[in-house]
Amino acid sequence: MIDQLLANISFVDVINTCMFIAFSCCYAYQLFYVLVVLTKKPPEITARRNHKYAVIVAARNERAVIGDLMRSIRAQNYPQELIDIFVVADNCTDDTAQVAQAAGATKVFTRKNAEKVGKGYALEYGIDRIRSEHAEAGYEAYFVFDADNVLDENYFREMNKTFDGGAKASTSYRNSKNFASNWISAGYAVWFLREAKFLSQARLTLNTSCAISGTGFFIAAEVIEAHDGWQWFLLTEDIEFSTSTILDGDRISYCPTAVLYDEQPITFRDSWNQRFRWAKGFYQVFWRYGARLAKGMAKNPKGSRFACYDMLMTISPAMLVTFIVAMFNLVIVILGCLGVMSMGNVVASSLSCVIFCILNYVMFMFLFGVLTTIMEWDVIRASTAMKIRSVFTFPLFMLTYIPIAFVALFKRAEWKPIRHSISVDVSEYSTTASTGAGISVDTPDQR
């Protein structure tokens, strides 16, 4: 009987089974993250004193939205004399600089450079200008935001607790101001909510390192000084910084009570361009840092071995490997249909694998979408009908990552600006307005 069973097992079955076991073993820990979030609350901290911060906003033709960000920072429940806002008007062709200045920016730096294009270079320019021209201000950390962001009124107060607690860098809770625009913006929003709740919060609770995610984070001034400025310029400079920080032995924290809202793309073209750049950037980080992370898993004297493993899984081209395995099986199916291959059990196994891969991925994303939507129901700014629809469209949104990951392997990526046009009433984006419940305010000593 065993001999008969082995005779029916093809080389395709062996390959597919090995890949399934490998993926399950590599990413099973993220299911444990879900259990941690459902059973444990993140640690609560308080601040002994308020600290002084420099805010950096890299903006390119963002006149429609940058004023809202400035006003939300100036409306913070935090001493304004401890927040200075610096805007880098990066290769702008509109009046972004003037709008930002009028809305409350401390200083606007105008940057023109057609050779070094990208957010990393804009951050380098802004930080270098601050360090050289405003050194006497004594900034203790740098906050980074995108021009389309809007902050909850308690954002700085909450992030100050994390910084005062000793964090060298920290990300924050990322929500969306246009969840209800369409299935594309909803897909982004669910992904970022899932990342905040079931990745960052779990990592915080388990005292391992998080990763910054593009916007809504701070970096301690001592970290910037140790690297002599901003030194991360890949297409995903945020993930590069996160990886570099973990390898240096520093831990990136997370503040679940600091809420940021940003605008998501609403056209598939913009979404493709943005996620294509992200996919390409992840490949860049993987090729540059993957071997060092793998080595750190075995021996990392500076920090957590698990953090190295977690980051390696984050930047690993899992989507690409999935695509390759699916294409391998699809080719066998096609060859079987054309009569090139006559092994019926092999073709059947390949067909079953393609269907299983697709259904398994869709179901996994659907369950994550359901869980995230239920857990974050009250903070999602959309109608009940839209929230329910997004649960079903989220797997479709995630499936579109598969061709993006494949194309990104071969095609050159360049920075392409994403249009932002949704201006909002800042007063609506407060804790009280969003949840109907205020948060008590503590007043630590000011420096």
Side-chain angles (χ1 to χ4, degrees):
M1 181 176 181
I2 295 177
D3 291 340
Q4 183 179 3
L5 179 63
L6 292 174
N8 290 328
I9 296 177
S10 66
F11 72 97
V12 172
D13 293 315
V14 173
I15 292 174
N16 291 334
T17 301
C18 289
M19 292 302 300
F20 176 76
I21 293 174
F23 267 71
S24 298
C25 292
C26 286
Y27 291 97
Y29 76 98
Q30 293 193 5
L31 296 179
F32 175 69
Y33 277 178
V34 174
L35 180 63
V36 169
V37 171
L38 295 177
T39 58
K40 295 184 178 181
K41 292 183 178 181
E44 296 184 6
I45 56 176
T46 58
R48 295 164 296 176
R49 64 185 180 91
N50 292 324
H51 299 265
K52 190 168 186 179
Y53 303 112
V55 171
I56 305 175
V57 182
R60 182 175 181 180
N61 295 336
E62 299 280 14
R63 73 171 317 276
V65 294
I66 196 167
D68 295 333
L69 172 61
M70 299 294 106
R71 284 185 283 273
S72 72
I73 296 175
R74 291 308 181 201
Q76 286 294 299
N77 179 18
Y78 192 81
Q80 283 296 307
E81 64 271 18
L82 299 180
I83 304 175
D84 285 344
I85 308 173
F86 299 91
V87 175
V88 180
D90 188 33
N91 292 306
C92 289
T93 57
D94 66 1
D95 59 343
T96 292
Q98 292 78 8
V99 172
Q101 193 76 69
T106 304
K107 181 78 173 181
V108 177
F109 304 128
T110 300
R111 178 180 182 268
K112 297 289 184 181
N113 192 320
E115 299 295 325
K116 295 182 176 181
V117 178
K119 185 176 177 180
Y121 294 110
L123 291 176
E124 176 196 35
Y125 181 82
I127 289 175
D128 285 349
R129 290 285 300 269
I130 294 171
R131 292 170 67 216
S132 62
E133 299 174 18
H134 300 269
E136 75 286 347
Y139 301 119
E140 298 171 77
Y142 297 86
F143 275 83
V144 177
F145 301 111
D146 288 341
D148 60 292
N149 299 160
V150 173
L151 311 181
D152 174 79
E153 63 187 352
N154 295 311
Y155 185 93
F156 272 84
R157 191 202 70 192
E158 296 302 309
M159 288 291 268
N160 181 68
K161 295 177 182 179
T162 300
F163 178 74
D164 189 73
K168 303 298 184 184
S170 178
T171 187
S172 57
Y173 185 96
R174 190 170 181 177
N175 205 334
S176 175
K177 64 183 183 182
N178 67 320
F179 186 108
S181 291
N182 58 22
W183 70 277
I184 297 173
S185 64
Y188 274 98
V190 172
W191 173 259
F192 286 126
L193 289 172
R194 179 253 175 182
E195 181 180 72
K197 191 70 176 179
F198 295 109
L199 292 180
S200 294
Q201 183 173 316
R203 290 164 178 157
L204 173 68
T205 304
L206 294 172
N207 198 35
T208 187
S209 185
C210 300
I212 63 172
S213 181
T215 185
F217 60 90
F218 72 69
I219 302 172
E222 63 182 89
V223 174
I224 294 295
E225 293 303 319
H227 289 86
D228 194 27
W230 182 269
Q231 301 295 336
W232 303 275
F233 305 105
L234 297 182
L235 288 170
T236 47
E237 77 292 326
D238 51 347
I239 299 301
E240 184 186 10
F241 168 81
S242 300
T243 305
S244 175
T245 299
I246 289 171
L247 287 170
D248 286 343
D250 289 328
R251 174 176 167 270
I252 300 173
S253 188
Y254 168 63
C255 182
T257 53
V259 182
L260 169 146
Y261 300 86
D262 68 346
E263 180 180 339
Q264 311 303 341
I266 58 175
T267 68
F268 191 76
R269 182 186 183 88
D270 281 344
S271 177
W272 177 284
N273 289 337
Q274 185 181 64
R275 291 185 289 153
F276 170 74
R277 175 175 57 82
W278 290 351
K280 192 73 172 182
F282 269 68
Y283 289 151
Q284 291 176 341
V285 176
F286 179 74
W287 302 136
R288 179 170 296 187
Y289 296 94
R292 291 172 59 190
L293 287 170
K295 184 178 180 180
M297 288 164 48
K299 184 179 181 180
N300 184 16
K302 292 184 178 180
S304 169
R305 296 179 184 182
F306 177 76
C308 289
Y309 173 79
D310 194 4
M311 181 53 68
L312 183 60
M313 292 301 101
T314 300
I315 65 174
S316 292
M319 194 75 71
L320 177 63
V321 174
T322 302
F323 178 84
I324 293 173
V325 172
M327 288 300 99
F328 165 75
N329 284 277
L330 188 60
V331 168
I332 292 178
V333 172
I334 294 173
L335 292 176
C337 293
L338 295 176
V340 177
M341 296 184 66
S342 58
M343 296 179 291
N345 63 320
V346 174
V347 175
S349 296
S350 291
L351 180 60
S352 298
C353 180
V354 172
I355 296 173
F356 174 78
C357 284
I358 294 174
L359 292 181
N360 185 59
Y361 185 74
V362 169
M363 182 58 64
F364 188 76
M365 288 298 117
F366 175 75
L367 292 176
F368 256 119
V370 170
L371 186 60
T372 300
T373 302
I374 291 174
M375 293 287 291
E376 307 303 279
W377 184 272
D378 291 338
V379 302
I380 296 175
R381 304 173 67 88
S383 66
T384 297
M386 185 62 193
K387 295 176 186 179
I388 295 174
R389 281 198 301 270
S390 70
V391 168
F392 294 95
T393 57
F394 178 62
L396 175 62
F397 174 80
M398 294 304 299
L399 274 176
T400 62
Y401 260 111
I402 296 177
I404 290 173
F406 178 72
V407 173
L409 188 65
F410 304 100
K411 186 177 178 182
R412 179 183 175 86
E414 297 179 352
W415 268 89
K416 295 183 180 180
I418 303 298
R419 293 164 291 181
H420 297 125
S421 60
I422 300 178
S423 180
V424 298
D425 183 349
V426 173
S427 64
E428 296 180 6
Y429 288 78
S430 65
T431 303
T432 303
S434 300
T435 67
I439 296 179
S440 60
V441 178
D442 51 64
T443 53
D445 295 334
Q446 297 178 22
R447 181 178 181 182

